[in-house]
Amino acid sequence: MPKTTKVEPPVDEFQQVVTQGRVRVTGTCIELITAQLNWVLIGPAADGLRDGQQVKVTGVPNPNRETICTGSPLLVSSVAPVG
């Protein structure tokens, strides 16, 4: 009998990243503007951020997450102010 394997999203394949930049809030989108790329910040840790804040963010990329925002989704685990 062939074995069946359940397909799971590849979240574990992505390494945690630490990046910093400026927060941009437009509508329901919370983005982190960095020198390399724009991240779309998702998850409860990103909820309290305000437009214009300079922050350092730790999280795991989640490219399979669909959003209406422009940028790469990042599931945030922690946020720290910079400056």
Side-chain angles (χ1 to χ4, degrees):
M1 276 182 97
K3 292 182 179 179
T4 59
T5 57
K6 186 176 177 187
V7 177
E8 294 288 338
V11 173
D12 292 339
E13 293 179 20
F14 294 99
Q15 296 295 317
Q16 180 170 285
V17 297
V18 178
T19 186
Q20 68 182 45
R22 182 181 55 83
V23 175
R24 178 172 65 192
V25 179
T26 51
T28 59
C29 298
I30 303 171
E31 299 168 280
L32 184 70
I33 311 305
T34 71
Q36 291 79 26
L37 59 102
N38 293 354
W39 294 101
V40 176
L41 304 181
I42 53 178
D47 288 346
L49 295 173
R50 295 182 318 279
D51 192 59
Q53 279 183 293
Q54 293 286 335
V55 294
K56 182 181 200 178
V57 173
T58 303
V60 177
N62 189 352
N64 296 324
R65 172 82 175 255
E66 292 190 18
T67 71
I68 59 167
C69 311
T70 55
S72 299
L74 184 69
L75 182 58
V76 178
S77 58
S78 69
V79 176
V82 173

